[in-house]
């Protein structure tokens, strides 16, 4: 709720501080004292239109600062924190400044903010009802949501069923639209993948085959050189069997060296160690000679096989250019493409399934939307009758409020219904939209009646009324006060009034007093105790604060109002 509002340089107000309380707070004062500037200031604070002509003559700017209690975890607190503002001990500071040139600035929780953000927060913080203010309940979405809350659990249950079907239908429709719209792209993708898979399948590449073929091709291409080199190396190690000197080969010479050392090795350990190494070398060279002989016999120049290998490598190279650098990567691409083909081929079945589900969900939505319409229609009748009854006690005995529910073809987040509150101020008048069917003062009373009926269903923490008692008096004024007090049991209510019958119901009473210069100073807004309230009500009744008759009448008004007050009289 609002705890405090400070207004500077606005209209006739120089500097005024309003300390506000729970329950019903009334603001009174003599004509021209600046009572309406309180409502104007609140309108500015919550994103209203900035009018530079409202800036007090001689002042550079008008400034309105409000201190509100905002529990953490709520939608308002979350939005403030998202915007970078601070909430200290559940207290939020809002500021709005309007220069004489028309420039407007706003801060929220110590951080500069667009004025539109203040207006956004206002939807959950305050409902201002005045002749020149944007009426919250004049908006179609507010009227619908308020009626839905008024309808109670029956509508909540129907809305839950509808919302579940609506959200799922949107998801299914979006997926279905995407699949249908991308049908051509999917067909093209499937053709490309299928061609690639078939091309790879026809080639039947094997893992690592490209590396093996490269090695085989290199060997076949150099077969003559490899055979000559291996034969020459073999002869160098073991000699040519046809040669006369069998000792000319490495193995023979090494054998002679072994025999020479072996004859005397027992006489010297060092020479024996050398002999062991000669033995080891002999074994190694003998094995190498054997392998060289075998290798030389295996090397065969095969032009036909070389041509086959080169042709196979050319085929694999062609696949590698398209699908991967190696045969292994080509095979991996083929596996992935086959899996994707399965998905694409399954899209047709998926489309058929989604269409069937969408049809079922549409039927569920249609049924739930029809139930919403029926529940809303019943609630609309009850609501219209209740508000019309309230208006009888608010000096509008012939006025009639009704709710027009228009059911369209398109489904929305809340069904297919458009809700509009209508007012017929006289029996012969056709029902019109609220702002077209009533004057400013009448509209405030209509809004009061609506808010009283909606009380609890439309949980705004603070209501502000200006001119709600315009053009009425006597019993009707008492009934207005009683209904404001009833509304104040559920929310904070601030009312600017000139009627003592209304002011008598207040839980807190602020009076705006002009200084001798005609301006309202900081000390010019006074919170009255009970005796002060009696004097102010006496002034409002008789024009004289100390009139005995006026004071007696004021006391009577307050005593009669005590049972309806939200808080004990003080």
């Amino acid at each position: 709720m609002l705890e405090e509002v400070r207004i500077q340089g606005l209209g006739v107000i120089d500097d005024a501080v309003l300390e506000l309380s729970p329950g019903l707070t009334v603001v009174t004062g003599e004509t021209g004292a600046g009572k309406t500037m309180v409502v104007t200031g609140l309108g500015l604070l919550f994103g209203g239109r900035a009018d530079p002509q409202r800036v007090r003559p001689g002042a550079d700017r008008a400034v309105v600062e409000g201190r509100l209690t905002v529990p953490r975890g709520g939608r308002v607190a979350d939005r403030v924190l998202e915007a970078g503002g601070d909430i200290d001990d559940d207290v939020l500071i809002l500021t709005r400044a309007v220069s004489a040139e028309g420039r407007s600035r706003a801060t929220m929780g110590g951080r500069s903010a667009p004025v539109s953000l203040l207006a956004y927060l206002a939807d959950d913080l305050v409902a201002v009802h005045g002749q020149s203010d944007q009426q919250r309940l004049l908006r179609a979405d507010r009227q619908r949501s308020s009626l839905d809350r008024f309808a109670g659990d029956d509508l909540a249950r129907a809305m839950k069923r509808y919302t579940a079907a609506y959200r799922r239908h949107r998801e299914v429709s979006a997926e279905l639209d995407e699949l249908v719209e991308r049908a051509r792209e999917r067909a093209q993708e499937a053709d490309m993948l299928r061609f690639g898979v078939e091309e790879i399948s026809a080639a039947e590449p094997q893992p690592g085959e490209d590396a093996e073929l490269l090695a085989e091709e290199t060997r076949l291409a150099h077969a003559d050189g490899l055979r000559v080199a291996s034969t020459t190396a073999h002869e160098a190690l073991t000699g040519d069997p046809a040669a006369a000197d069998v000792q000319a080969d490495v193995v023979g010479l090494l054998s002679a060296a072994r025999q020479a050392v072996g004859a005397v090795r027992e006489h010297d350990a060092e020479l024996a160690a050398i002999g062991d190494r000669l033995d080891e070398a002999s074994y190694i060279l003998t094995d190498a000679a054997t392998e060289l002989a075998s290798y030389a016999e295996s090397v065969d120049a095969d032009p036909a096989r070389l041509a086959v290998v080169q042709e196979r490598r050319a085929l694999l190279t062609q696949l590698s250019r398209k699908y991967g650098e190696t045969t292994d990567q080509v095979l991996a691409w083929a596996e992935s493409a086959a899996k994707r083909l399965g998905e694409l081929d399954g899209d047709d079945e998926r489309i058929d399934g989604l269409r069937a589900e969408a049809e079922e969900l549409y039927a569920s939505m249609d049924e739930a939307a029809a139930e919403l319409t029926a529940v809303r229609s019943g609630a609309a009748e009850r609501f219209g009758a209740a508000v019309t009854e309230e208006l009888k006690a608010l000096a509008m005995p012939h006025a009639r409020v009704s709710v027009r529910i228009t059911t369209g073809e398109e489904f929305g987040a809340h069904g297919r219904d458009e809700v509009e509150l209508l007012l017929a101020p006289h029996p012969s008048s056709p029902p019109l939209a609220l702002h077209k069917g009533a004057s400013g003062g009448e509209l405030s009373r209509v809004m009061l009646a609506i808010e009283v009926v909606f009380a609890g269903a439309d949980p705004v923490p603070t209501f502000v009324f200006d001119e709600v008692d315009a053009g009425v008096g006597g019993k009707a004024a008492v009934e207005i006060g009683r209904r404001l007090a009833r509304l104040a049991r559920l929310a904070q209510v601030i009312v600017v009034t000139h009627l003592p019958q209304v002011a008598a119901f207040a839980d807190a009473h602020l009076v705006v007093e002009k200084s001798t210069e005609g301006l309202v100073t900081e000390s010019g807004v006074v919170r009255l105790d009970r005796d002060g309230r009696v004097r102010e009500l006496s002034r409002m009744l008789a024009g004289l604060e100390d009139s005995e008759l006026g004071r007696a009448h004021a006391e009577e008004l307050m005593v009669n109002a005590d049972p309806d007050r939200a808080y004990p009289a003080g």
Side-chain angles (χ1 to χ4, degrees):
M1 71 167 195
L2 276 167
E3 289 186 343
E4 181 180 281
V5 177
R6 182 172 187 176
I7 302 174
Q8 297 173 292
L10 184 64
V12 299
I13 297 179
D14 179 20
D15 192 342
V17 177
L18 287 78
E19 295 183 0
L20 302 172
S21 306
L24 174 60
T25 298
V26 298
V27 180
T28 65
E30 295 181 1
T31 301
K35 302 186 300 298
T36 300
M37 286 300 103
V38 173
V39 177
T40 302
L42 289 173
L44 282 174
L45 187 63
F46 291 105
R49 186 177 65 87
D51 184 357
Q53 294 183 354
R54 294 287 192 179
V55 178
R56 185 175 66 83
D60 295 332
R61 60 179 183 167
V63 180
V64 183
E65 180 180 276
R67 188 176 74 224
L68 305 89
T69 54
V70 178
R72 287 184 177 270
R75 191 163 72 167
V76 171
D78 290 345
R79 187 67 185 89
V80 171
L81 296 176
E82 286 174 9
D86 292 327
I87 298 178
D88 187 13
D89 292 334
D90 291 344
V91 174
L92 171 65
I93 304 297
L94 299 179
T95 305
R96 178 80 181 279
V98 180
S99 70
E101 293 79 25
R103 293 188 300 273
S104 176
R105 292 187 58 200
T107 63
M108 177 188 66
R111 176 68 64 89
S112 294
V115 174
S116 59
L117 183 55
L118 297 186
Y120 173 82
L121 296 179
D123 277 349
D124 294 307
L125 290 174
V126 64
V128 179
H129 296 302
Q131 292 194 47
S132 60
D133 294 294
Q134 176 64 36
Q135 304 291 345
R136 183 180 55 95
L137 277 176
L138 294 182
R139 288 172 24 203
D141 61 329
R142 276 290 184 174
Q143 293 180 4
R144 193 265 315 145
S145 61
S146 297
L147 181 64
D148 284 359
R149 283 189 289 267
F150 177 80
D153 292 340
D154 288 344
L155 191 131
R157 285 190 292 269
M159 181 61 72
K160 185 177 180 180
R161 289 192 294 273
Y162 174 82
T163 300
Y166 175 76
R167 288 178 178 172
R168 180 56 187 162
H169 185 268
R170 283 174 60 91
E171 294 171 359
V172 169
S173 298
E175 185 178 356
L176 183 59
D177 290 344
E178 182 181 2
L179 288 175
V180 172
E181 289 174 4
R182 292 184 58 240
R184 179 178 299 176
E185 296 177 13
R186 291 186 294 107
Q188 293 173 347
E189 182 185 0
D191 286 344
M192 183 195 71
L193 293 174
R194 191 172 291 108
F195 175 83
V197 170
E198 291 174 354
E199 186 178 22
I200 294 171
S201 178
E204 296 183 348
Q206 301 301 314
E209 184 181 2
D210 51 345
E212 295 174 1
L213 289 173
L214 176 60
E216 184 178 0
E217 180 187 13
T218 302
R219 180 177 177 181
L220 288 170
H222 299 84
D224 291 340
L226 293 171
R227 186 169 56 254
V228 170
S230 59
T231 301
T232 301
H234 178 266
E235 290 177 355
L237 290 176
T238 61
D240 183 358
D245 186 3
V246 297
Q247 297 297 322
D249 60 272
V250 173
V251 173
L253 293 173
L254 183 58
S255 178
R258 288 175 61 210
Q259 290 176 2
V261 172
V264 295
R265 62 180 293 164
E266 60 187 26
H267 303 301
D268 185 6
E270 185 178 353
L271 184 60
I274 295 173
D276 291 339
R277 293 167 62 188
L278 289 173
D279 291 341
E280 183 179 358
S282 177
Y283 301 147
I284 292 173
L285 289 176
T286 300
D287 290 343
T290 303
E291 292 176 4
L292 282 170
S294 176
Y295 177 80
E297 291 178 1
S298 70
V299 175
D300 185 17
D302 187 349
R305 176 58 184 168
L306 177 58
V308 171
V309 170
Q310 288 176 336
E311 184 179 355
R312 180 66 176 172
R313 285 201 66 231
L315 176 60
L316 295 181
T317 300
Q318 184 180 5
L319 295 178
S320 297
R321 290 194 188 103
K322 296 180 181 179
Y323 309 112
E325 295 182 0
T326 66
T327 303
D328 289 347
Q329 292 177 356
V330 170
L331 290 170
W333 184 93
E335 182 180 357
S336 175
K339 185 182 297 184
R340 176 59 178 159
L341 268 175
E343 295 175 357
L344 293 174
D345 291 340
D347 280 350
D348 290 338
E349 296 180 5
R350 179 63 178 158
I351 287 174
D352 292 339
L354 289 173
R355 281 176 174 159
E357 185 179 2
E359 290 177 1
E360 292 178 3
L361 289 168
Y362 186 92
S364 298
M365 273 198 313
D366 188 59
E367 181 181 350
E371 185 178 359
L372 285 175
T373 301
V375 175
R376 282 180 178 137
S377 298
E381 291 184 9
R382 298 195 306 273
F383 168 78
V387 175
T388 299
E389 189 65 27
E390 288 290 329
L391 290 176
K392 292 179 180 178
L394 298 178
M396 296 180 69
H398 304 297
R400 180 170 54 86
V401 168
S402 59
V403 182
R404 179 164 60 199
I405 297 177
T406 305
T407 302
E409 296 295 328
E410 299 294 327
F411 291 100
H414 304 284
R416 296 187 298 187
D417 302 328
E418 292 184 4
V419 174
E420 185 178 19
L421 302 185
L422 304 176
L423 172 68
H426 306 289
S428 59
S429 302
L432 299 173
L434 292 179
H435 63 288
K436 296 179 180 179
S439 63
E442 288 177 332
L443 185 57
S444 292
R445 273 177 278 158
V446 171
M447 287 299 173
L448 172 59
I450 290 173
E451 296 290 16
V452 168
V453 173
F454 271 154
D458 192 15
V460 176
T462 300
F463 293 90
V464 180
F465 288 93
D466 184 26
E467 302 289 344
V468 69
D469 50 14
V472 301
K475 183 178 179 180
V478 173
E479 293 301 328
I480 290 175
R482 180 170 288 116
R483 278 152 181 79
L484 289 168
R486 187 188 307 170
L487 185 61
R489 294 175 183 174
L490 301 171
Q492 181 185 40
V493 181
I494 302 168
V495 181
V496 175
T497 183
H498 63 276
L499 293 181
Q501 294 94 328
V502 174
F505 286 88
D507 300 298
H509 192 147
L510 304 178
V511 63
V512 182
E513 297 176 342
K514 286 193 296 186
S515 66
T516 55
E517 292 81 10
L519 300 179
V520 178
T521 63
E522 184 175 354
S523 60
V525 178
V526 180
R527 186 184 181 98
L528 302 178
D529 57 15
R530 188 172 181 91
D531 188 58
R533 293 183 61 192
V534 170
R535 289 197 303 273
E536 174 64 7
L537 292 181
S538 177
R539 180 197 66 76
M540 296 171 72
L541 284 163
L544 299 172
E545 296 181 2
D546 297 322
S547 164
E548 276 192 35
L549 185 61
R551 289 176 64 86
H553 192 181
E555 286 279 6
E556 183 181 8
L557 284 176
M558 293 184 64
V559 169
N560 290 335
D562 279 342
D564 294 293
R565 246 188 291 273
Y567 295 88

